[in-house]
Amino acid sequence: MRKDEVRLNCGITIPVIGLGTYSSNNDRVTTEKAVHLALKMGYRHFDTAKIYGSEGAVGNALRKAIEDQIIPREDVFLTSKLWSCDHHDPVSALQHTLRNLGMEYIDMYLVHWPIKLKPWACNAVPKEEDFEKQLDMETTWEGMQKCLDRGLCRCIGVSNFSTKKIEHLLDFASVPPAVNQVEMHPMWRQRKLREICGKHDIHVSGYSPLGGPGNAWGSTAVVKNPLINSIALKHKATPAQVALKWGLTRGASVIVKSFNPDRLRENMGSLDLKLDDEDLIEIEQLQERKIMRGDFLVNNTTSPYKTLEELWDYEI
């Protein structure tokens, strides 16, 4: 196993740095170019989802690289996600994703959110009438396990699941989730969730590892934090590299999202950075700014869930 990979409970390995492909502009050409460039820089994990609208572009770029013998398929780790309107039929949803990608299988299929929307609700920001009152996660997980049994994916997991949601899932899952992908960075460290996931051998993968600057729900609070900048200066690194390395030292993988060539290169440079014990202790003492993306969803939709506790049972 390479040093830039970790082994999952399903037996396969996942690269510790992945490229997220959500883009508000949803520019197919730009996304394909970014994937090609990322491959040249050493990225091997590519993260997409039905709701991102990037599956087609990601699939085109990867297929071309495979056909041109730039990289074999088995060296690529491809993640996509079950959108909340598809809980009733994960198998059909994944088959549709595979057609979008032009792939026979993906490596990881995640339940995107622990909420259920009506079958026609395909918007990233749902309306009140789009929400179902209850999610029968046991039925959803049976469908996810069928995806695995049919060889449509190599592993299954979840995203945005709290400790309570994880523990509930483990009560009935015959196949445990291999991954829980959540927002995680030095100012939202997910300590309790990491402990519970570690106890059950569930790998934590952090999205928005820099705090989501440039996104509607994010901020520059992480990369502009004085302590993060001081540590970066000490190690002749960048604040982004410090934030990413913190996540990696916690045993998580990180999903970065930038199509900028310099940023792509900078993010990969975090693998070579070494933080000392003093750095890690100081980061653990930072005041947390929790639920950045969750706050956005609750405050900018007419969801019937008026608090984050109602939405995900997060311990905040």
Side-chain angles (χ1 to χ4, degrees), residues 169-184:
L169 174 57
L170 291 173
D171 284 341
F172 53 78
S174 58
V175 177
V179 165
N180 186 14
Q181 188 185 111
V182 296
E183 182 178 354
M184 176 180 156

Side-chain angles (χ1 to χ4, degrees), residues 11-32:
I12 68 174
T13 58
I14 182 173
V16 296
I17 294 185
L19 179 66
T21 60
Y22 169 78
S23 172
S24 58
N25 297 327
N26 195 20
D27 185 332
R28 189 178 186 118
V29 173
T30 300
T31 301
E32 289 188 26

Side-chain angles (χ1 to χ4, degrees), residues 81-94:
K81 307 177 189 76
L82 177 79
W83 183 235
S84 300
C85 67
D86 293 323
H87 280 276
H88 63 287
D89 193 354
V91 171
S92 294
L94 180 47

Side-chain angles (χ1 to χ4, degrees), residues 186-187 220-234 238-239 242 279 282-283 286-287 289:
M187 297 186 71
T220 58
V222 174
V223 293
K224 289 188 175 181
N225 180 271
L227 174 62
I228 299 297
N229 277 264
S230 174
I231 294 172
L233 184 63
K234 180 173 79 171
T238 67
V242 171
D279 301 329
E282 289 181 328
I283 290 174
L286 283 173
Q287 182 177 359
R289 294 179 51 148

Side-chain angles (χ1 to χ4, degrees), residues 114-115 134-141 145 158 161-177 180 193 196-197 200 202 312-313 315:
I115 56 175
Q134 289 186 328
L135 167 61
D136 179 4
M137 191 59 206
E138 188 166 357
T139 298
T140 298
W141 199 248
Q145 291 175 165
V158 296
F161 272 52
S162 67
T163 57
K164 291 180 182 178
K165 299 289 188 187
I166 287 290
E167 290 172 332
H168 172 63
L169 174 57
L170 291 173
D171 284 341
F172 53 78
S174 58
V175 177
N180 186 14
L193 181 63
I196 294 298
C197 286
H200 296 287
I202 299 168
W312 301 304
D313 294 328
E315 298 77 14

Side-chain angles (χ1 to χ4, degrees), residues 137-269:
M137 191 59 206
E138 188 166 357
T139 298
T140 298
W141 199 248
E142 287 176 1
M144 295 292 286
Q145 291 175 165
K146 287 179 181 177
C147 292
L148 190 62
D149 292 340
R150 296 187 184 189
L152 304 178
C153 58
R154 299 173 69 205
C155 267
I156 52 177
V158 296
S159 181
N160 300 298
F161 272 52
S162 67
T163 57
K164 291 180 182 178
K165 299 289 188 187
I166 287 290
E167 290 172 332
H168 172 63
L169 174 57
L170 291 173
D171 284 341
F172 53 78
S174 58
V175 177
V179 165
N180 186 14
Q181 188 185 111
V182 296
E183 182 178 354
M184 176 180 156
H185 46 71
M187 297 186 71
W188 188 15
R189 295 183 287 279
Q190 298 280 17
R191 181 189 58 81
K192 184 175 181 180
L193 181 63
R194 286 189 284 115
E195 288 177 358
I196 294 298
C197 286
K199 176 182 175 182
H200 296 287
D201 197 22
I202 299 168
H203 176 72
V204 174
S205 186
Y207 70 74
S208 295
L210 305 182
N215 292 324
W217 63 85
S219 80
T220 58
V222 174
V223 293
K224 289 188 175 181
N225 180 271
L227 174 62
I228 299 297
N229 277 264
S230 174
I231 294 172
L233 184 63
K234 180 173 79 171
H235 293 287
K236 298 181 180 179
T238 67
Q241 289 172 337
V242 171
L244 294 175
K245 190 63 177 187
W246 172 82
L248 297 175
T249 62
R250 302 299 88 181
S253 57
V254 293
I255 308 297
V256 297
K257 214 303 289 178
S258 177
F259 292 171
N260 179 287
D262 292 335
R263 292 281 186 262
L264 285 167
R265 190 174 295 106
E266 175 187 346
N267 292 336
M268 284 297 283

Side-chain angles (χ1 to χ4, degrees), residues 287-314:
Q287 182 177 359
E288 292 194 298
R289 294 179 51 148
K290 300 181 178 181
I291 325 278
M292 292 181 177
R293 190 172 187 182
D295 278 334
F296 175 80
L297 184 60
V298 167
N299 295 329
N300 290 274
T301 74
T302 52
S303 160
Y305 304 97
K306 295 306 179 187
T307 69
L308 292 164
E309 292 94 331
E310 289 181 30
L311 186 56
W312 301 304
D313 294 328
Y314 266 118

